[in-house]
Amino acid sequence: TKMVEYSNVQLTMAEPVLTLTSALMQMSSTGEISRYRYLLLSTDAGGYWYGQYVDNDEAVYKALIYGTCDYQQIDASAVADGISFNSLEFGIDYIFRVIGYDKDGKITNMGKVDFTPSVGKVVRFDDAKWQSTKPEVKATITKNTIKHKK
């Protein structure tokens, strides 16, 4: 067996960009990353593994390193803006865990984000982004249902 070698390159996560059904995970690092290995689980689809990994960073880190979980892998050149997920379910909790491999194949630290697809940031009427020409819309959100009223 090959010994696991750890990289000095540090991986950091930004706050995810969320919509009702999508998420964009943005990462940065202190050095060059050649590829990422990641895991995305939801409370619904992840079942047992979601429960095992949500609060156990050491277990998921080892699972990603040794490939003992249902991970995905992607070249860093394909994720310049981040790793994007679509067709997520609104109101469901998700966990995202990622490790990187540096140019020498050494493993970085693990990045992690727990998130729930949502309506995103609400703009207040006194915010510069507010446009008074738009009608006021009120939303009632219940589980997976959103009702709008003008």
Side-chain angles (χ1 to χ4, degrees), residues 133-144:
T133 58
K134 291 185 178 179
E136 184 176 331
V137 176
K138 296 182 181 187
T140 305
I141 302 171
T142 311
K143 269 276 214 201
N144 297 330

Side-chain angles (χ1 to χ4, degrees), residues 65-133:
I65 290 171
Y66 297 115
T68 57
C69 62
D70 191 16
Y71 67 86
Q72 301 294 319
Q73 194 158 281
I74 191 166
D75 286 337
S77 60
V79 293
D81 294 333
I83 299 174
S84 181
F85 299 99
N86 297 305
S87 302
L88 299 177
E89 196 169 340
F90 171 73
I92 298 294
D93 296 330
Y94 289 86
I95 61 170
F96 175 76
R97 305 291 186 261
V98 62
I99 59 173
Y101 289 84
D102 69 13
K103 61 182 171 36
D104 298 322
K106 295 178 182 178
I107 299 166
T108 67
N109 62 306
M110 183 177 70
K112 69 178 206 170
V113 174
D114 298 349
F115 68 95
T116 305
S118 66
V119 293
K121 194 177 265 188
V122 175
V123 179
R124 294 170 29 139
F125 75 92
D126 57 351
D127 190 302
K129 294 178 185 174
W130 178 265
Q131 295 179 18
S132 59
T133 58

Side-chain angles (χ1 to χ4, degrees), residues 15-107:
E15 200 60 36
V17 178
L18 303 174
T19 70
L20 291 175
T21 59
S22 69
L24 176 65
M25 301 297 139
Q26 298 171 315
M27 292 122 355
S28 60
S29 63
T30 59
E32 187 179 333
I33 302 281
S34 63
R35 68 182 198 249
Y36 295 99
R37 183 179 283 186
Y38 64 90
L39 175 70
L40 178 73
L41 289 174
S42 72
T43 50
D44 279 1
Y48 172 80
W49 291 111
Y50 179 94
Q52 292 298 306
Y53 290 150
V54 70
D55 291 322
N56 193 340
D57 290 345
E58 185 178 342
V60 71
Y61 189 50
K62 286 180 180 177
L64 284 169
I65 290 171
Y66 297 115
T68 57
C69 62
D70 191 16
Y71 67 86
Q72 301 294 319
Q73 194 158 281
I74 191 166
D75 286 337
S77 60
V79 293
D81 294 333
I83 299 174
S84 181
F85 299 99
N86 297 305
S87 302
L88 299 177
E89 196 169 340
F90 171 73
I92 298 294
D93 296 330
Y94 289 86
I95 61 170
F96 175 76
R97 305 291 186 261
V98 62
I99 59 173
Y101 289 84
D102 69 13
K103 61 182 171 36
D104 298 322
K106 295 178 182 178
I107 299 166

